[in-house]
């Protein structure tokens, strides 16, 4: 680290996925900087058994990129993110998920966009990465597709996530828990909602691409149903119960149920897309009556 260059702490929160972490660390070690900044890596493990410690230690011993390894034994992604922030030392903090891997210019594009746009944070796209054995209906269903935006677009807080983002570390100043543990899901949305309300600005960089691994466990129909239910439950739990959202789901749930026979004829991709949307709205309606059918904190990962 040189005194004249800004420093970025790249934070990775990991949970019992050392094989993913190993791939990510290898790609992080090969990031371009353009001579504009230095960077280090913080690995925050959310597992009391320290299943990824050997991976992080092995990488640290052979890489020229400094690595800080820390553990948050209490389960919860918000707690893990807070632990990562506490161990970050840079003027900037980047977040990337352990099941993602970035392009070589990922960090450089985020940094240049932040500097050029004079904003508080920059987010980039996360694209799905499928292997050759992935069923075609999983790809065609678009279950893992995410919105894309032109570079420089100012984002609403509802468009912000922590899977691929660079932030000024000043955003965390004076906050013991910048990510609220009571938000069991959507802790990043809650963070960006509060930061946006304070007047902070976040923009998009379409060139700062990261890819998300979609393993065989996520090809299962049962996983997709659980994922949709979970999202539906927490879309209301974290953001209240506005009548318009409840009404939307009251109308949408039976509509998607009635459309399933037609969707089935149109192929598995379309059929499962309708099942996914139906499950999402059912999850919302269950949240209205205080029922959470999914108690797995990492089901959406």
């Amino acid at each position: 680290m040189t005194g004249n260059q800004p420093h970025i702490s790249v934070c990775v929160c990991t949970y019992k996925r050392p094989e993913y972490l190993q791939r990510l660390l290898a790609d992080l070690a090969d990031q371009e900087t353009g001579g504009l900044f230095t960077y280090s890596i913080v690995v925050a493990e959310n597992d009391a058994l320290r299943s990824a410690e050997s991976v992080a230690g092995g990488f640290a011993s052979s890489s020229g990129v400094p690595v800080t390894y820390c553990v948050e034994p209490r389960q919860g992604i918000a707690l893990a993110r807070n632990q990562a922030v506490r161990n970050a030392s840079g003027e900037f903090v980047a977040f990337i998920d352990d099941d993602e891997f970035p392009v070589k210019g990922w960090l450089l594009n985020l940094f240049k966009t932040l500097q050029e746009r004079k904003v508080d944070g920059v987010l980039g796209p996360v694209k799905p990465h499928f292997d050759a054995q992935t069923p075609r209906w999983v790809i065609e269903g678009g279950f893992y597709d995410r919105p894309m935006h032109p570079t420089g677009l100012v984002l609403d807080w509802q468009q912000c996530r922590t899977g691929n983002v660079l932030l000024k570390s000043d955003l965390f100043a004076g906050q013991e828990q910048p990510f609220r543990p009571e938000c069991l899901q959507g802790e990043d949305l809650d963070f960006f909602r509060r930061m946006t309300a304070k007047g902070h600005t976040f923009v998009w960089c379409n060139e700062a691409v990261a890819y998300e691994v979609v393993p065989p466990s996520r090809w299962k129909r049962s996983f997709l149903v659980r994922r949709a239910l979970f999202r539906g439950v927490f879309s209301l739990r974290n953001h209240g119960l506005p009548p318009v959202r409840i009404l939307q789901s009251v109308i949408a749930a039976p509509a998607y149920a009635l459309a399933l026979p037609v969707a089935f004829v149109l192929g598995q991709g379309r059929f499962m897309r309708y099942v996914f949307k139906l499950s999402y709205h059912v999850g919302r309606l269950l949240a209205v009556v205080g029922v959470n059918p999914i108690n797995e904190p990492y089901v959406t990962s």
Side-chain angles (χ1 to χ4, degrees):
M1 187 186 308
T2 62
N4 295 327
Q5 289 182 316
H7 188 74
I8 300 173
S9 293
V10 181
C11 294
V12 180
C13 298
T14 186
Y15 175 71
K16 294 184 178 179
R17 296 195 289 206
E19 68 281 5
Y20 289 163
L21 179 64
Q22 192 162 26
R23 177 177 188 168
L24 170 58
L25 291 175
D27 284 336
L28 289 179
D30 200 31
Q31 286 295 295
E32 298 173 342
T33 68
L36 299 178
F37 59 87
T38 59
Y39 71 99
S40 58
I41 301 170
V42 176
V43 176
E45 181 160 22
N46 197 199
D47 178 16
L49 298 178
R50 308 170 79 99
S51 56
E53 184 174 18
S54 61
V55 172
F59 174 81
S61 65
S62 61
S63 171
V65 180
V67 177
T68 298
Y69 171 82
C70 55
V71 177
E72 174 49 70
R74 297 168 296 170
Q75 283 294 287
I77 187 61
L79 293 167
R81 294 201 198 285
N82 290 335
Q83 184 69 262
V85 170
R86 283 193 288 271
N87 283 272
S89 58
E91 296 95 324
F92 301 91
V93 175
F95 281 100
I96 187 167
D97 289 345
D98 64 346
D99 59 348
E100 297 173 356
F101 58 95
V103 298
K104 198 168 184 177
W106 168 70
L107 203 54
L108 178 59
N109 280 313
L110 287 175
F111 181 79
K112 289 171 67 175
T113 301
L114 189 146
Q115 296 291 74
E116 291 168 2
R117 304 285 174 166
K118 299 184 183 346
V119 292
D120 300 293
V122 181
L123 291 88
V126 178
K127 300 180 180 181
H129 174 76
F130 301 103
D131 66 29
Q133 286 73 45
T134 307
R136 189 161 187 82
W137 67 264
V138 174
I139 301 173
E140 293 176 345
F143 307 106
Y144 299 99
D145 293 342
R146 304 189 190 191
M148 304 280 284
H149 310 288
T151 296
L153 177 72
V154 176
L155 301 173
D156 179 83
W157 64 268
Q158 296 183 0
Q159 298 171 297
C160 297
R161 302 289 188 276
T162 48
N164 177 357
V165 63
L166 176 66
L167 303 168
K168 289 183 177 179
S169 59
D170 292 347
L171 295 174
F172 305 109
Q175 298 188 71
E176 176 62 26
Q177 297 189 107
F179 298 98
R180 293 176 174 172
E182 58 267 31
C183 296
L184 300 179
Q185 170 70 13
E187 79 296 330
D188 48 357
L189 279 175
D190 173 74
F191 170 81
F192 284 108
R193 177 183 59 80
R194 289 183 282 114
M195 294 302 104
T196 301
K198 291 181 178 180
H200 297 297
T201 303
F202 306 96
V203 303
W204 187 261
C205 176
N206 211 42
E207 294 74 33
V209 179
Y211 290 91
E212 177 188 31
V213 177
V214 183
S217 61
R218 300 189 200 176
W219 305 346
K220 297 178 181 178
R221 294 170 178 83
S222 58
F223 177 87
L224 291 170
V225 169
R226 294 199 312 275
R227 180 185 178 106
L229 284 168
F230 191 88
R231 287 185 173 182
V233 167
F234 285 98
S235 72
L236 291 188
R237 178 171 293 189
N238 284 349
H239 309 302
L241 301 172
V244 64
R245 291 197 178 197
I246 298 172
L247 180 60
Q248 285 174 349
S249 293
V250 167
I251 296 171
Y256 281 119
L258 290 172
L260 286 180
V262 176
F264 183 78
V265 175
L266 297 176
Q268 279 297 301
R270 181 70 61 85
F271 176 73
M272 282 306 300
R273 189 65 185 168
Y274 277 46
V275 169
F276 190 90
K277 291 180 177 180
L278 169 61
S279 301
Y280 174 82
H281 288 289
V282 168
R284 269 189 177 181
L285 296 176
L286 289 173
V288 172
V289 295
V291 175
N292 174 18
I294 306 295
N295 292 306
E296 303 169 53
Y298 288 89
V299 74
T300 58
S301 63

